[in-house]
Amino acid sequence: MSILMNFLRRSSFNKPRFMPLISSSYSSRYASTLVLGEHENGQLKQSSLSAVEAASRAIDSGEENSISVLLAGSGESLQKAVSHAATSHPSISQVLVADTDKLAHPLAEPWAALVHLIQERGGYSYIIAAASSFGKNVLPRAAALLDVSPITDVVDISGPKLFVRPIYAGNALCTVRYTGANPCMLTIRSTSFPVSLNSAESKSEAAPISQVDLSTFSEESVGKSRYVKHTSEDTERVDLGSARVVITGGRALKSAENFQLIEKLAAKLGGAVGATRAAVDAGFVANELQVGQTGKIVAPELYMAFGVSGAIQHLAGMRDSKVIVAVNKDADAPIFQVADYGLVADIFAVIPELLEKLPSKK
């Protein structure tokens, strides 16, 4: 326990220009990579910036590295996101804007049709999206329209059209060479392509912004599915997917009331709350807090697991964490095989002691 306390004390975890409308053919210097961008509250999402980072590594060394980011929607939020995207990463060559109410919500059918339309005009070599619910929904459908096979959950790019992706719940890595026709379509795990602070702040000049000509955008794709509503909890919790610190609880916490210990510790460390599937299925927390193969994939600087046995499905969602701390009373729990620091102890004794002795995050 003293080793764990000393580690936590020493760590730092507590501390536009516009261009003309796009015509039927794009300039060849913008024909390398198309990144499907997600935006929220006037900001390009961090996962999309990770997709840009991956795109910067996917280009052949002899090619000019040109990356276009596609944003769609309507209204003031879109315009703010466009301005943000144009200055968000030095590798972005231009921002494409599809401004229409038909794309106000990220439905797969109209978005796939949009990607098909832009690919026909631009002839991109790569189309990349983050492996988020948006990317997993849109990219396969767009790939079907373009008659190519997508490569999903890429965690590394070893060379031109040579990719690494996990298989068997993350217990093995598979190297895949794409030999099909263009475009090569990928979804990438954003946690595997972090954007450095220097990259995010080194964009000195805004990238050009181009409005997509939607005069031939097919109406057939609109109406096959219908946006109903978007619900989210009114909470000040740190976002699980992008948190620097994640505190996760398992079924050993026994009840939703006991799970509040995890929430209190996360608040004290300025981290996000995570849970195993067993804890979610038991009704301790909402399912959006699930970490694992069928939940969120996270890679924080500090991952603390309390009462987590370490099933392979859970490990698949957190094994890329920089530092893993595990507390479990079962010394043979599989979680200890991946943990950097392990403590065999009763979580109901350890968590209250941590809450008492750790300083609050300022």
Side-chain angles (χ1 to χ4, degrees):
M1 183 67 185
S2 60
I3 295 175
L4 177 59
M5 288 298 301
N6 289 334
F7 164 73
L8 291 172
R9 288 195 186 100
R10 292 198 308 270
S11 68
S12 61
F13 303 114
N14 287 316
K15 308 181 200 175
R17 291 176 290 127
F18 286 86
M19 296 184 69
L21 298 180
I22 295 177
S23 62
S24 60
S25 63
Y26 292 99
S27 172
S28 60
R29 69 190 182 97
Y30 296 130
S32 294
T33 305
L34 178 69
V35 173
L36 308 187
E38 298 177 72
H39 63 94
E40 187 176 38
N41 299 323
Q43 297 280 315
L44 185 67
K45 285 190 173 182
Q46 190 66 30
S47 58
S48 294
L49 286 174
S50 293
V52 172
E53 187 71 21
S56 67
R57 307 182 196 179
I59 306 300
D60 295 352
S61 58
E63 294 179 351
E64 184 179 351
N65 193 346
S66 178
I67 299 170
S68 301
V69 175
L70 173 63
L71 293 175
S74 62
E76 183 181 359
S77 178
L78 172 65
Q79 300 309 317
K80 288 181 178 179
V82 169
S83 298
H84 174 247
T87 58
S88 62
H89 197 287
S91 296
I92 296 176
S93 302
Q94 75 165 343
V95 180
L96 304 179
V97 185
D99 191 346
T100 172
D101 290 337
K102 299 171 186 175
L103 295 163
H105 306 295
L107 299 177
E109 292 89 346
W111 252 97
L114 174 65
V115 173
H116 182 263
L117 173 68
I118 291 178
Q119 174 62 22
E120 285 188 328
R121 295 175 179 176
Y124 289 93
S125 302
Y126 297 87
I127 298 179
I128 301 177
S132 59
S133 57
F134 167 80
K136 291 178 179 179
N137 195 21
V138 172
L139 196 107
R141 183 178 290 271
L145 293 177
L146 294 168
D147 196 24
V148 299
S149 297
I151 302 172
T152 59
D153 284 322
V154 171
V155 297
D156 192 21
I157 299 175
S158 301
K161 297 189 177 180
L162 191 64
F163 311 100
V164 179
R165 62 183 302 273
I167 57 175
Y168 303 127
N171 284 293
L173 295 175
C174 175
T175 300
V176 180
R177 182 181 294 278
Y178 182 76
T179 58
N182 285 343
C184 176
M185 303 184 72
L186 317 170
T187 61
I188 60 96
R189 286 194 177 179
S190 57
T191 54
S192 299
F193 298 92
V195 181
S196 67
L197 188 61
N198 290 337
S199 294
E201 296 179 347
S202 61
K203 184 78 171 178
S204 58
E205 186 177 355
I209 299 170
S210 299
Q211 299 291 332
V212 176
D213 180 4
L214 297 173
S215 59
T216 59
F217 184 58
S218 173
E219 293 281 349
E220 295 179 359
S221 62
V222 180
K224 292 184 179 180
S225 60
R226 181 170 57 92
Y227 176 83
V228 178
K229 64 178 179 177
H230 175 258
T231 59
S232 61
E233 290 188 6
D234 184 14
T235 178
E236 295 182 357
R237 280 178 178 166
V238 178
D239 178 63
L240 179 58
S242 58
R244 294 177 63 248
V245 178
V246 174
I247 313 298
T248 294
R251 183 168 47 190
L253 282 149
K254 300 180 180 179
S255 69
E257 291 74 20
N258 290 337
F259 213 91
Q260 292 177 8
L261 291 170
I262 297 293
E263 296 175 355
K264 291 177 181 178
L265 184 58
K268 197 153 195 178
L269 292 174
V273 175
T276 63
R277 179 169 180 173
V280 169
D281 289 346
F284 298 168
V285 290
N287 58 10
E288 66 258 24
L289 299 183
Q290 181 182 330
V291 174
Q293 186 179 16
T294 56
K296 298 284 181 66
I297 307 295
V298 299
E301 294 181 27
L302 173 63
Y303 187 89
M304 300 186 72
F306 293 90
V308 175
S309 63
I312 59 173
Q313 292 84 358
H314 182 77
L315 298 182
M318 47 67 71
R319 65 168 65 248
D320 291 332
S321 302
K322 307 303 182 293
V323 177
I324 300 173
V325 177
V327 180
N328 197 305
K329 66 180 180 181
D330 180 6
D332 296 322
I335 189 70
F336 289 124
Q337 296 177 14
V338 299
D340 299 286
Y341 297 85
L343 179 63
V344 179
D346 184 354
I347 58 174
F348 294 108
V350 173
I351 298 177
E353 188 173 350
L354 288 173
L355 289 171
E356 179 186 349
K357 294 184 177 179
L358 282 175
S360 298
K361 182 181 182 298
K362 296 180 180 180

